[in-house]
Amino acid sequence: FNDSRIKFKSEPDGGIYDAMNKGIRRAKGDIIAILNSDDEFAHESVLADVMSRFKVGVDIVYAGIEYVDRPGRTLSSWIPTEFIANGYLRGFHCPHPGFFSTREMYLKLGGFDCSMPVAADFDLMRRFMEAEDTASVLLPAVVVKMRADGASSRIVNVYRGMLDIKRSF
């Protein structure tokens, strides 16, 4: 990278969530976003749009994603609904690539639980969104184009993910 603010580190890790935790621990900024290797922001103003939603007292901004195939064609989109307290017990869920949180939330509530190999992202977002005194804001737009062929889309991992989610609750 030609930007001194961007650091690249490649080293052994204990899986994707361990690698994400390492990145979070090294992060210096106030807001944390995770963009996976074959995903991309939907347009060049995504970060500005997200940052415009962070105000005093807002801990989380969450938004929608598009699922795309290898050539980049849109397969479907997912824009979450407005979050309400205890929403996860009622079936609420937001897409992890559209989840932006303050660094302070990670310091207060911890990172990804690496004992959940498929749904640690679900667990983290549930813990953050349901935490007492957490303020979240919906950005009702697509902010990330996500490849539809990731690890969590394999049938065996769908089952494992359900077991992780059960443990999360």
Side-chain angles (χ1 to χ4, degrees):
F1 296 101
N2 292 326
D3 188 327
S4 64
R5 297 171 299 169
I6 298 172
K7 306 286 189 249
F8 179 81
K9 181 114 179 163
S10 180
E11 64 186 20
D13 57 60
I16 189 167
Y17 295 117
D18 181 44
M20 289 179 187
N21 282 338
K22 286 180 175 188
I24 291 162
R25 283 192 298 272
R26 290 182 176 117
K28 304 271 192 257
D30 296 330
I31 307 300
I32 301 215
I34 295 176
L35 188 66
N36 292 307
S37 63
D38 58 352
D39 299 341
E40 62 185 58
F41 288 124
H43 48 82
E44 63 185 39
S45 65
V46 163
L47 295 178
D49 294 348
V50 169
M51 291 310 297
S52 73
R53 302 293 173 139
F54 275 101
K55 306 173 198 123
V56 174
V58 172
D59 305 295
I60 296 165
V61 173
Y62 61 100
I65 64 170
E66 276 184 1
Y67 292 100
V68 296
D69 61 11
R70 286 252 168 236
R73 293 179 300 239
T74 300
L75 302 173
S76 63
S77 61
W78 173 12
I79 297 179
T81 58
E82 196 78 42
F83 176 75
I84 57 170
N86 297 312
Y88 276 82
L89 287 172
R90 296 182 184 99
F92 174 86
H93 184 32
C94 59
H96 186 235
F99 186 81
F100 303 80
S101 175
T102 63
R103 186 170 173 267
E104 186 174 313
M105 292 292 292
Y106 286 90
L107 295 173
K108 184 167 76 173
L109 298 173
F112 295 97
D113 180 345
C114 295
S115 73
M116 296 184 189
V118 179
D121 53 350
F122 174 92
D123 174 71
L124 180 132
M125 292 184 297
R126 184 194 60 74
R127 285 187 292 116
F128 282 26
M129 302 271 297
E130 298 283 2
E132 194 171 318
D133 299 325
T134 297
S136 61
V137 174
L138 170 64
L139 172 58
V142 168
V143 297
V144 170
K145 293 183 179 194
M146 177 180 166
R147 291 283 153 80
D149 59 358
S152 61
S153 64
R154 295 185 198 116
I155 193 68
V156 68
N157 286 338
V158 170
Y159 176 72
R160 287 179 182 148
M162 285 190 251
L163 294 177
D164 286 353
I165 288 168
K166 182 180 176 187
R167 278 189 45 227
S168 177
F169 282 108

PDB file of all heavy atoms in Angstrom, residues 87-118:
ATOM      1  N   GLY A  87     -34.289  -7.619  20.128  1.00  0.00           N
ATOM      2  CA  GLY A  87     -34.620  -7.961  18.751  1.00  0.00           C
ATOM      3  C   GLY A  87     -34.058  -9.291  18.287  1.00  0.00           C
ATOM      4  O   GLY A  87     -34.672  -9.997  17.486  1.00  0.00           O
ATOM      5  N   TYR A  88     -32.896  -9.652  18.786  1.00  0.00           N
ATOM      6  CA  TYR A  88     -32.297 -10.922  18.364  1.00  0.00           C
ATOM      7  C   TYR A  88     -33.149 -12.106  18.804  1.00  0.00           C
ATOM      8  O   TYR A  88     -33.233 -13.106  18.098  1.00  0.00           O
ATOM      9  CB  TYR A  88     -30.856 -11.048  18.879  1.00  0.00           C
ATOM     10  CG  TYR A  88     -29.866 -10.360  17.961  1.00  0.00           C
ATOM     11  CD1 TYR A  88     -29.656  -8.984  18.040  1.00  0.00           C
ATOM     12  CD2 TYR A  88     -29.175 -11.073  17.000  1.00  0.00           C
ATOM     13  CE1 TYR A  88     -28.760  -8.355  17.189  1.00  0.00           C
ATOM     14  CE2 TYR A  88     -28.278 -10.451  16.143  1.00  0.00           C
ATOM     15  CZ  TYR A  88     -28.088  -9.087  16.240  1.00  0.00           C
ATOM     16  OH  TYR A  88     -27.210  -8.473  15.386  1.00  0.00           O
ATOM     17  N   LEU A  89     -33.810 -11.989  19.937  1.00  0.00           N
ATOM     18  CA  LEU A  89     -34.725 -13.061  20.375  1.00  0.00           C
ATOM     19  C   LEU A  89     -35.949 -13.156  19.475  1.00  0.00           C
ATOM     20  O   LEU A  89     -36.598 -14.189  19.405  1.00  0.00           O
ATOM     21  CB  LEU A  89     -35.165 -12.832  21.820  1.00  0.00           C
ATOM     22  CG  LEU A  89     -34.105 -13.115  22.878  1.00  0.00           C
ATOM     23  CD1 LEU A  89     -34.587 -12.673  24.258  1.00  0.00           C
ATOM     24  CD2 LEU A  89     -33.727 -14.585  22.886  1.00  0.00           C
ATOM     25  N   ARG A  90     -36.244 -12.082  18.759  1.00  0.00           N
ATOM     26  CA  ARG A  90     -37.399 -12.043  17.850  1.00  0.00           C
ATOM     27  C   ARG A  90     -37.003 -12.286  16.402  1.00  0.00           C
ATOM     28  O   ARG A  90     -37.812 -12.110  15.499  1.00  0.00           O
ATOM     29  CB  ARG A  90     -38.097 -10.695  17.976  1.00  0.00           C
ATOM     30  CG  ARG A  90     -38.699 -10.438  19.321  1.00  0.00           C
ATOM     31  CD  ARG A  90     -39.409  -9.072  19.324  1.00  0.00           C
ATOM     32  NE  ARG A  90     -39.911  -8.769  20.643  1.00  0.00           N
ATOM     33  CZ  ARG A  90     -39.308  -7.980  21.527  1.00  0.00           C
ATOM     34  NH1 ARG A  90     -38.165  -7.395  21.215  1.00  0.00           N
ATOM     35  NH2 ARG A  90     -39.831  -7.750  22.702  1.00  0.00           N
ATOM     36  N   GLY A  91     -35.724 -12.631  16.178  1.00  0.00           N
ATOM     37  CA  GLY A  91     -35.297 -12.955  14.820  1.00  0.00           C
ATOM     38  C   GLY A  91     -34.515 -11.867  14.111  1.00  0.00           C
ATOM     39  O   GLY A  91     -34.123 -12.039  12.958  1.00  0.00           O
ATOM     40  N   PHE A  92     -34.275 -10.718  14.759  1.00  0.00           N
ATOM     41  CA  PHE A  92     -33.479  -9.671  14.125  1.00  0.00           C
ATOM     42  C   PHE A  92     -32.059 -10.164  13.894  1.00  0.00           C
ATOM     43  O   PHE A  92     -31.500 -10.917  14.693  1.00  0.00           O
ATOM     44  CB  PHE A  92     -33.433  -8.413  15.011  1.00  0.00           C
ATOM     45  CG  PHE A  92     -32.511  -7.349  14.461  1.00  0.00           C
ATOM     46  CD1 PHE A  92     -32.976  -6.448  13.528  1.00  0.00           C
ATOM     47  CD2 PHE A  92     -31.187  -7.282  14.850  1.00  0.00           C
ATOM     48  CE1 PHE A  92     -32.126  -5.478  12.993  1.00  0.00           C
ATOM     49  CE2 PHE A  92     -30.319  -6.324  14.329  1.00  0.00           C
ATOM     50  CZ  PHE A  92     -30.803  -5.419  13.397  1.00  0.00           C
ATOM     51  N   HIS A  93     -31.480  -9.720  12.827  1.00  0.00           N
ATOM     52  CA  HIS A  93     -30.074  -9.990  12.521  1.00  0.00           C
ATOM     53  C   HIS A  93     -29.665  -8.972  11.471  1.00  0.00           C
ATOM     54  O   HIS A  93     -30.475  -8.582  10.634  1.00  0.00           O
ATOM     55  CB  HIS A  93     -29.940 -11.414  11.999  1.00  0.00           C
ATOM     56  CG  HIS A  93     -28.537 -11.862  11.720  1.00  0.00           C
ATOM     57  ND1 HIS A  93     -27.443 -11.435  12.421  1.00  0.00           N
ATOM     58  CD2 HIS A  93     -28.064 -12.728  10.801  1.00  0.00           C
ATOM     59  CE1 HIS A  93     -26.357 -12.026  11.949  1.00  0.00           C
ATOM     60  NE2 HIS A  93     -26.711 -12.809  10.963  1.00  0.00           N
ATOM     61  N   CYS A  94     -28.441  -8.518  11.540  1.00  0.00           N
ATOM     62  CA  CYS A  94     -27.949  -7.629  10.489  1.00  0.00           C
ATOM     63  C   CYS A  94     -26.709  -8.269   9.865  1.00  0.00           C
ATOM     64  O   CYS A  94     -26.047  -9.090  10.495  1.00  0.00           O
ATOM     65  CB  CYS A  94     -27.656  -6.225  11.027  1.00  0.00           C
ATOM     66  SG  CYS A  94     -26.443  -6.125  12.345  1.00  0.00           S
ATOM     67  N   PRO A  95     -26.383  -7.908   8.638  1.00  0.00           N
ATOM     68  CA  PRO A  95     -25.232  -8.523   7.973  1.00  0.00           C
ATOM     69  C   PRO A  95     -23.920  -7.970   8.520  1.00  0.00           C
ATOM     70  O   PRO A  95     -23.746  -6.758   8.659  1.00  0.00           O
ATOM     71  CB  PRO A  95     -25.430  -8.151   6.505  1.00  0.00           C
ATOM     72  CG  PRO A  95     -26.271  -6.924   6.525  1.00  0.00           C
ATOM     73  CD  PRO A  95     -27.114  -6.997   7.758  1.00  0.00           C
ATOM     74  N   HIS A  96     -23.001  -8.865   8.834  1.00  0.00           N
ATOM     75  CA  HIS A  96     -21.734  -8.452   9.420  1.00  0.00           C
ATOM     76  C   HIS A  96     -20.946  -7.463   8.558  1.00  0.00           C
ATOM     77  O   HIS A  96     -20.377  -6.508   9.092  1.00  0.00           O
ATOM     78  CB  HIS A  96     -20.885  -9.680   9.768  1.00  0.00           C
ATOM     79  CG  HIS A  96     -19.644  -9.324  10.503  1.00  0.00           C
ATOM     80  ND1 HIS A  96     -18.402  -9.701  10.061  1.00  0.00           N
ATOM     81  CD2 HIS A  96     -19.454  -8.603  11.637  1.00  0.00           C
ATOM     82  CE1 HIS A  96     -17.492  -9.231  10.901  1.00  0.00           C
ATOM     83  NE2 HIS A  96     -18.103  -8.569  11.867  1.00  0.00           N
ATOM     84  N   PRO A  97     -20.886  -7.618   7.226  1.00  0.00           N
ATOM     85  CA  PRO A  97     -20.127  -6.636   6.445  1.00  0.00           C
ATOM     86  C   PRO A  97     -20.717  -5.214   6.510  1.00  0.00           C
ATOM     87  O   PRO A  97     -20.016  -4.258   6.213  1.00  0.00           O
ATOM     88  CB  PRO A  97     -20.186  -7.176   5.013  1.00  0.00           C
ATOM     89  CG  PRO A  97     -20.448  -8.629   5.183  1.00  0.00           C
ATOM     90  CD  PRO A  97     -21.315  -8.741   6.398  1.00  0.00           C
ATOM     91  N   GLY A  98     -21.965  -5.096   6.905  1.00  0.00           N
ATOM     92  CA  GLY A  98     -22.603  -3.786   7.031  1.00  0.00           C
ATOM     93  C   GLY A  98     -22.615  -3.280   8.462  1.00  0.00           C
ATOM     94  O   GLY A  98     -23.386  -2.380   8.793  1.00  0.00           O
ATOM     95  N   PHE A  99     -21.765  -3.824   9.326  1.00  0.00           N
ATOM     96  CA  PHE A  99     -21.742  -3.510  10.758  1.00  0.00           C
ATOM     97  C   PHE A  99     -20.513  -2.669  11.089  1.00  0.00           C
ATOM     98  O   PHE A  99     -19.380  -3.090  10.856  1.00  0.00           O
ATOM     99  CB  PHE A  99     -21.702  -4.827  11.547  1.00  0.00           C
ATOM    100  CG  PHE A  99     -21.825  -4.687  13.029  1.00  0.00           C
ATOM    101  CD1 PHE A  99     -23.062  -4.519  13.633  1.00  0.00           C
ATOM    102  CD2 PHE A  99     -20.698  -4.744  13.837  1.00  0.00           C
ATOM    103  CE1 PHE A  99     -23.177  -4.414  15.011  1.00  0.00           C
ATOM    104  CE2 PHE A  99     -20.799  -4.642  15.218  1.00  0.00           C
ATOM    105  CZ  PHE A  99     -22.053  -4.472  15.799  1.00  0.00           C
ATOM    106  N   PHE A 100     -20.722  -1.481  11.632  1.00  0.00           N
ATOM    107  CA  PHE A 100     -19.656  -0.555  11.993  1.00  0.00           C
ATOM    108  C   PHE A 100     -19.834  -0.212  13.465  1.00  0.00           C
ATOM    109  O   PHE A 100     -20.928   0.172  13.887  1.00  0.00           O
ATOM    110  CB  PHE A 100     -19.742   0.721  11.154  1.00  0.00           C
ATOM    111  CG  PHE A 100     -19.688   0.469   9.672  1.00  0.00           C
ATOM    112  CD1 PHE A 100     -20.812   0.042   8.979  1.00  0.00           C
ATOM    113  CD2 PHE A 100     -18.509   0.652   8.967  1.00  0.00           C
ATOM    114  CE1 PHE A 100     -20.761  -0.197   7.611  1.00  0.00           C
ATOM    115  CE2 PHE A 100     -18.450   0.411   7.606  1.00  0.00           C
ATOM    116  CZ  PHE A 100     -19.580  -0.013   6.922  1.00  0.00           C
ATOM    117  N   SER A 101     -18.782  -0.333  14.233  1.00  0.00           N
ATOM    118  CA  SER A 101     -18.871  -0.118  15.671  1.00  0.00           C
ATOM    119  C   SER A 101     -17.718   0.735  16.175  1.00  0.00           C
ATOM    120  O   SER A 101     -16.634   0.740  15.576  1.00  0.00           O
ATOM    121  CB  SER A 101     -18.855  -1.470  16.394  1.00  0.00           C
ATOM    122  OG  SER A 101     -18.821  -1.295  17.787  1.00  0.00           O
ATOM    123  N   THR A 102     -17.950   1.401  17.283  1.00  0.00           N
ATOM    124  CA  THR A 102     -16.849   2.137  17.898  1.00  0.00           C
ATOM    125  C   THR A 102     -15.825   1.143  18.443  1.00  0.00           C
ATOM    126  O   THR A 102     -16.166   0.032  18.840  1.00  0.00           O
ATOM    127  CB  THR A 102     -17.337   3.038  19.043  1.00  0.00           C
ATOM    128  OG1 THR A 102     -17.904   2.220  20.070  1.00  0.00           O
ATOM    129  CG2 THR A 102     -18.337   4.069  18.560  1.00  0.00           C
ATOM    130  N   ARG A 103     -14.599   1.564  18.459  1.00  0.00           N
ATOM    131  CA  ARG A 103     -13.517   0.762  19.047  1.00  0.00           C
ATOM    132  C   ARG A 103     -13.802   0.536  20.529  1.00  0.00           C
ATOM    133  O   ARG A 103     -13.494  -0.514  21.087  1.00  0.00           O
ATOM    134  CB  ARG A 103     -12.189   1.488  18.839  1.00  0.00           C
ATOM    135  CG  ARG A 103     -10.975   0.717  19.279  1.00  0.00           C
ATOM    136  CD  ARG A 103      -9.717   1.461  18.789  1.00  0.00           C
ATOM    137  NE  ARG A 103      -8.548   0.829  19.333  1.00  0.00           N
ATOM    138  CZ  ARG A 103      -7.959   1.190  20.458  1.00  0.00           C
ATOM    139  NH1 ARG A 103      -8.434   2.188  21.166  1.00  0.00           N
ATOM    140  NH2 ARG A 103      -6.883   0.564  20.886  1.00  0.00           N
ATOM    141  N   GLU A 104     -14.414   1.520  21.166  1.00  0.00           N
ATOM    142  CA  GLU A 104     -14.744   1.426  22.590  1.00  0.00           C
ATOM    143  C   GLU A 104     -15.645   0.224  22.894  1.00  0.00           C
ATOM    144  O   GLU A 104     -15.516  -0.412  23.944  1.00  0.00           O
ATOM    145  CB  GLU A 104     -15.427   2.718  23.048  1.00  0.00           C
ATOM    146  CG  GLU A 104     -15.680   2.781  24.523  1.00  0.00           C
ATOM    147  CD  GLU A 104     -16.223   4.137  24.943  1.00  0.00           C
ATOM    148  OE1 GLU A 104     -15.671   5.161  24.520  1.00  0.00           O
ATOM    149  OE2 GLU A 104     -17.209   4.135  25.696  1.00  0.00           O
ATOM    150  N   MET A 105     -16.552  -0.120  21.973  1.00  0.00           N
ATOM    151  CA  MET A 105     -17.420  -1.292  22.176  1.00  0.00           C
ATOM    152  C   MET A 105     -16.586  -2.569  22.260  1.00  0.00           C
ATOM    153  O   MET A 105     -16.853  -3.435  23.092  1.00  0.00           O
ATOM    154  CB  MET A 105     -18.455  -1.409  21.057  1.00  0.00           C
ATOM    155  CG  MET A 105     -19.505  -0.319  21.056  1.00  0.00           C
ATOM    156  SD  MET A 105     -20.625  -0.383  22.460  1.00  0.00           S
ATOM    157  CE  MET A 105     -21.526  -1.874  22.117  1.00  0.00           C
ATOM    158  N   TYR A 106     -15.577  -2.686  21.398  1.00  0.00           N
ATOM    159  CA  TYR A 106     -14.701  -3.870  21.430  1.00  0.00           C
ATOM    160  C   TYR A 106     -13.902  -3.906  22.728  1.00  0.00           C
ATOM    161  O   TYR A 106     -13.703  -4.974  23.305  1.00  0.00           O
ATOM    162  CB  TYR A 106     -13.752  -3.874  20.226  1.00  0.00           C
ATOM    163  CG  TYR A 106     -14.425  -4.236  18.928  1.00  0.00           C
ATOM    164  CD1 TYR A 106     -14.987  -3.253  18.112  1.00  0.00           C
ATOM    165  CD2 TYR A 106     -14.502  -5.559  18.511  1.00  0.00           C
ATOM    166  CE1 TYR A 106     -15.598  -3.581  16.917  1.00  0.00           C
ATOM    167  CE2 TYR A 106     -15.114  -5.899  17.317  1.00  0.00           C
ATOM    168  CZ  TYR A 106     -15.660  -4.899  16.524  1.00  0.00           C
ATOM    169  OH  TYR A 106     -16.271  -5.231  15.343  1.00  0.00           O
ATOM    170  N   LEU A 107     -13.436  -2.751  23.178  1.00  0.00           N
ATOM    171  CA  LEU A 107     -12.681  -2.701  24.435  1.00  0.00           C
ATOM    172  C   LEU A 107     -13.571  -3.081  25.618  1.00  0.00           C
ATOM    173  O   LEU A 107     -13.138  -3.762  26.540  1.00  0.00           O
ATOM    174  CB  LEU A 107     -12.092  -1.302  24.648  1.00  0.00           C
ATOM    175  CG  LEU A 107     -11.032  -0.872  23.636  1.00  0.00           C
ATOM    176  CD1 LEU A 107     -10.645   0.592  23.853  1.00  0.00           C
ATOM    177  CD2 LEU A 107      -9.813  -1.772  23.696  1.00  0.00           C
ATOM    178  N   LYS A 108     -14.824  -2.657  25.579  1.00  0.00           N
ATOM    179  CA  LYS A 108     -15.755  -2.903  26.675  1.00  0.00           C
ATOM    180  C   LYS A 108     -16.305  -4.331  26.669  1.00  0.00           C
ATOM    181  O   LYS A 108     -16.403  -4.967  27.716  1.00  0.00           O
ATOM    182  CB  LYS A 108     -16.904  -1.886  26.585  1.00  0.00           C
ATOM    183  CG  LYS A 108     -17.903  -1.935  27.711  1.00  0.00           C
ATOM    184  CD  LYS A 108     -18.817  -0.698  27.716  1.00  0.00           C
ATOM    185  CE  LYS A 108     -19.853  -0.784  26.628  1.00  0.00           C
ATOM    186  NZ  LYS A 108     -20.860   0.300  26.706  1.00  0.00           N
ATOM    187  N   LEU A 109     -16.653  -4.854  25.473  1.00  0.00           N
ATOM    188  CA  LEU A 109     -17.368  -6.132  25.390  1.00  0.00           C
ATOM    189  C   LEU A 109     -16.545  -7.275  24.787  1.00  0.00           C
ATOM    190  O   LEU A 109     -17.015  -8.404  24.721  1.00  0.00           O
ATOM    191  CB  LEU A 109     -18.659  -5.952  24.584  1.00  0.00           C
ATOM    192  CG  LEU A 109     -19.660  -4.973  25.190  1.00  0.00           C
ATOM    193  CD1 LEU A 109     -20.820  -4.724  24.244  1.00  0.00           C
ATOM    194  CD2 LEU A 109     -20.152  -5.461  26.536  1.00  0.00           C
ATOM    195  N   GLY A 110     -15.342  -6.993  24.351  1.00  0.00           N
ATOM    196  CA  GLY A 110     -14.494  -8.044  23.791  1.00  0.00           C
ATOM    197  C   GLY A 110     -14.699  -8.219  22.298  1.00  0.00           C
ATOM    198  O   GLY A 110     -15.556  -7.598  21.686  1.00  0.00           O
ATOM    199  N   GLY A 111     -13.888  -9.094  21.740  1.00  0.00           N
ATOM    200  CA  GLY A 111     -13.936  -9.348  20.310  1.00  0.00           C
ATOM    201  C   GLY A 111     -14.732 -10.590  19.978  1.00  0.00           C
ATOM    202  O   GLY A 111     -15.677 -10.955  20.674  1.00  0.00           O
ATOM    203  N   PHE A 112     -14.313 -11.248  18.901  1.00  0.00           N
ATOM    204  CA  PHE A 112     -14.984 -12.448  18.429  1.00  0.00           C
ATOM    205  C   PHE A 112     -14.645 -13.637  19.319  1.00  0.00           C
ATOM    206  O   PHE A 112     -13.496 -13.801  19.725  1.00  0.00           O
ATOM    207  CB  PHE A 112     -14.574 -12.752  16.986  1.00  0.00           C
ATOM    208  CG  PHE A 112     -15.018 -11.711  16.015  1.00  0.00           C
ATOM    209  CD1 PHE A 112     -14.153 -10.702  15.619  1.00  0.00           C
ATOM    210  CD2 PHE A 112     -16.303 -11.724  15.508  1.00  0.00           C
ATOM    211  CE1 PHE A 112     -14.559  -9.728  14.729  1.00  0.00           C
ATOM    212  CE2 PHE A 112     -16.723 -10.749  14.617  1.00  0.00           C
ATOM    213  CZ  PHE A 112     -15.847  -9.744  14.225  1.00  0.00           C
ATOM    214  N   ASP A 113     -15.627 -14.470  19.607  1.00  0.00           N
ATOM    215  CA  ASP A 113     -15.435 -15.702  20.377  1.00  0.00           C
ATOM    216  C   ASP A 113     -14.973 -16.780  19.402  1.00  0.00           C
ATOM    217  O   ASP A 113     -15.773 -17.327  18.644  1.00  0.00           O
ATOM    218  CB  ASP A 113     -16.747 -16.092  21.057  1.00  0.00           C
ATOM    219  CG  ASP A 113     -16.645 -17.357  21.883  1.00  0.00           C
ATOM    220  OD1 ASP A 113     -15.663 -18.117  21.725  1.00  0.00           O
ATOM    221  OD2 ASP A 113     -17.568 -17.616  22.675  1.00  0.00           O
ATOM    222  N   CYS A 114     -13.686 -17.069  19.420  1.00  0.00           N
ATOM    223  CA  CYS A 114     -13.100 -18.004  18.457  1.00  0.00           C
ATOM    224  C   CYS A 114     -13.548 -19.445  18.661  1.00  0.00           C
ATOM    225  O   CYS A 114     -13.262 -20.303  17.828  1.00  0.00           O
ATOM    226  CB  CYS A 114     -11.580 -17.910  18.500  1.00  0.00           C
ATOM    227  SG  CYS A 114     -10.979 -16.303  17.949  1.00  0.00           S
ATOM    228  N   SER A 115     -14.266 -19.742  19.737  1.00  0.00           N
ATOM    229  CA  SER A 115     -14.793 -21.096  19.922  1.00  0.00           C
ATOM    230  C   SER A 115     -16.037 -21.318  19.051  1.00  0.00           C
ATOM    231  O   SER A 115     -16.552 -22.421  18.998  1.00  0.00           O
ATOM    232  CB  SER A 115     -15.121 -21.350  21.394  1.00  0.00           C
ATOM    233  OG  SER A 115     -16.282 -20.648  21.793  1.00  0.00           O
ATOM    234  N   MET A 116     -16.508 -20.269  18.387  1.00  0.00           N
ATOM    235  CA  MET A 116     -17.634 -20.375  17.452  1.00  0.00           C
ATOM    236  C   MET A 116     -17.073 -20.211  16.045  1.00  0.00           C
ATOM    237  O   MET A 116     -16.937 -19.102  15.551  1.00  0.00           O
ATOM    238  CB  MET A 116     -18.675 -19.289  17.742  1.00  0.00           C
ATOM    239  CG  MET A 116     -19.313 -19.425  19.076  1.00  0.00           C
ATOM    240  SD  MET A 116     -20.608 -18.182  19.265  1.00  0.00           S
ATOM    241  CE  MET A 116     -20.971 -18.397  20.985  1.00  0.00           C
ATOM    242  N   PRO A 117     -16.751 -21.306  15.381  1.00  0.00           N
ATOM    243  CA  PRO A 117     -16.023 -21.218  14.119  1.00  0.00           C
ATOM    244  C   PRO A 117     -16.799 -20.634  12.940  1.00  0.00           C
ATOM    245  O   PRO A 117     -16.195 -20.200  11.971  1.00  0.00           O
ATOM    246  CB  PRO A 117     -15.619 -22.666  13.836  1.00  0.00           C
ATOM    247  CG  PRO A 117     -16.593 -23.499  14.593  1.00  0.00           C
ATOM    248  CD  PRO A 117     -16.968 -22.698  15.804  1.00  0.00           C
ATOM    249  N   VAL A 118     -18.132 -20.591  13.016  1.00  0.00           N
ATOM    250  CA  VAL A 118     -18.912 -20.107  11.884  1.00  0.00           C
ATOM    251  C   VAL A 118     -19.686 -18.836  12.214  1.00  0.00           C
ATOM    252  O   VAL A 118     -19.751 -17.920  11.397  1.00  0.00           O
ATOM    253  CB  VAL A 118     -19.884 -21.204  11.367  1.00  0.00           C
ATOM    254  CG1 VAL A 118     -20.720 -20.692  10.207  1.00  0.00           C
ATOM    255  CG2 VAL A 118     -19.110 -22.450  10.953  1.00  0.00           C
TER     256      VAL A 118
END
